Amino acid sequence: MADTSHTAPDRRADERIGQDPSDHPPTPGDAAIHQARNSAAFWAATGKSRGHEVIQRRGFLAVLGDERAGTRFLVQEPDLDSDELAELTELAGRASGPVGAEDPFGSTDLSHLGLRNWQMPIMVRPPGPVPAPAIEVVRVQRARELEAAEQIVIAGFELDGFTPYRPGEMFPATLIEQPGVDVYLAVLDGEAVGAGVTVVHDGFGSHYWVGTPPTRRSRGAGRAVMLGSLAPMAHLPVTLTASRLGRPLYESLGFTAVTPSTWWSSH
């Protein structure tokens, strides 16, 4: 992996954004909107790279996956109208795999779909300097690196739907060709020990699937991935949705919990 590009501030992120970032942290409503838009951009890119149908409406975005990837909804507005909710319900009813939804506004009741729900905080980090990681972090550019990241995420998040493993199913090669999407690896002694995805959209960055293999947890790999992937976005506000276990790490990196996001799942 010696010839892989290292993470560093560069012009790629600048070329992706449509506006200058604000010097002030967003309000809870702003944070929800930016997280909603960024998540939609990420899942639209993911769906397109997998060859899945992507449906965009005013109030939601839907990615209609297969029996392994499932169907995912990204709520985009706090006030879905009756037609939008009816269409979402119909799409969920004919899903061929698991169903999941993210509602950063926490305002859309999907309990009629028989899904369980929970809340996680949307966290925001303002623009600012990023320390260098203690472990080497590289931006993925080659197929074998993307497969390494894919395997780490599947194992780290216990994504049983993607087992047995099929290379390129979760992270197709075209994913890193999608505008604004980057995948990162933390590498220690030649071994991939952590992975994560970032998306830059409309002047904000965001993190997804930051994980480490079960045998590498609590050894600094997750922190390294975060720092290495934050570096190219140091001039941007960055959002993420935090799990209970991940929140202390994110707080130590300058993220602040701003507002809760409601998640729904058939699992």
Side-chain angles (χ1 to χ4, degrees):
M1 297 187 182
D3 59 343
T4 303
S5 296
H6 292 249
T7 61
D10 57 30
R11 289 180 296 180
R12 292 183 63 198
D14 288 318
E15 292 168 352
R16 295 171 183 159
I17 63 177
Q19 62 187 43
D20 292 331
S22 169
D23 291 333
H24 304 287
T27 66
D30 288 341
I33 290 170
H34 285 298
Q35 185 63 41
R37 302 295 188 268
N38 198 290
S39 292
F42 171 58
W43 283 102
T46 300
K48 290 173 183 176
S49 70
R50 294 174 179 172
H52 296 160
E53 183 179 2
V54 177
I55 296 174
Q56 176 73 65
R57 300 289 183 256
R58 180 201 68 95
F60 70 88
L61 181 138
V63 181
L64 311 184
D66 56 22
E67 67 280 357
R68 279 166 62 98
T71 291
R72 196 170 193 92
F73 298 100
L74 296 308
V75 176
Q76 296 296 288
E77 298 291 344
D79 59 344
L80 267 66
D81 61 34
S82 58
D83 289 340
E84 290 171 328
L85 188 57
E87 183 179 14
L88 188 155
T89 299
E90 189 272 331
L91 291 171
R94 60 183 175 90
S96 59
V99 175
E102 299 175 33
D103 178 10
F105 309 96
S107 58
T108 300
D109 185 3
L110 299 178
S111 58
H112 65 287
L113 299 179
L115 310 178
R116 69 182 184 93
N117 71 84
W118 67 98
Q119 288 190 320
M120 294 189 290
I122 295 172
M123 305 187 76
V124 179
R125 183 187 191 273
V130 178
I135 298 173
E136 180 188 21
V137 177
V138 298
R139 180 186 287 125
V140 167
Q141 294 184 320
R142 294 180 295 181
R144 66 183 180 87
E145 297 164 346
L146 192 60
E147 287 184 17
E150 181 179 52
Q151 289 176 306
I152 286 173
V153 169
I154 290 172
F157 285 86
E158 299 179 349
L159 302 178
D160 296 337
F162 287 98
T163 56
Y165 175 61
R166 298 173 185 170
E169 182 180 29
M170 183 178 182
F171 290 167
T174 54
L175 178 63
I176 55 177
E177 299 172 3
Q178 299 295 319
V181 179
D182 281 306
V183 180
Y184 292 88
L185 275 180
V187 182
L188 181 63
D189 297 328
E191 178 188 357
V193 295
V197 181
T198 64
V199 176
V200 173
H201 176 75
D202 197 24
F204 271 70
S206 197
H207 285 87
Y208 303 90
W209 298 126
V210 177
T212 59
T215 57
R216 289 288 185 173
R217 289 175 182 160
S218 302
R219 299 186 184 183
R223 176 177 294 275
V225 169
M226 285 297 299
L227 290 173
S229 58
L230 271 172
M233 304 189 297
H235 62 300
L236 299 176
V238 179
T239 68
L240 56 79
T241 305
S243 66
R244 178 180 59 84
L245 294 177
R247 180 169 176 169
L249 168 61
Y250 306 139
E251 288 177 334
S252 74
L253 298 175
F255 286 85
T256 301
V258 178
T259 189
S261 176
T262 301
W263 288 50
W264 300 82
S265 176
S266 60
H267 290 270

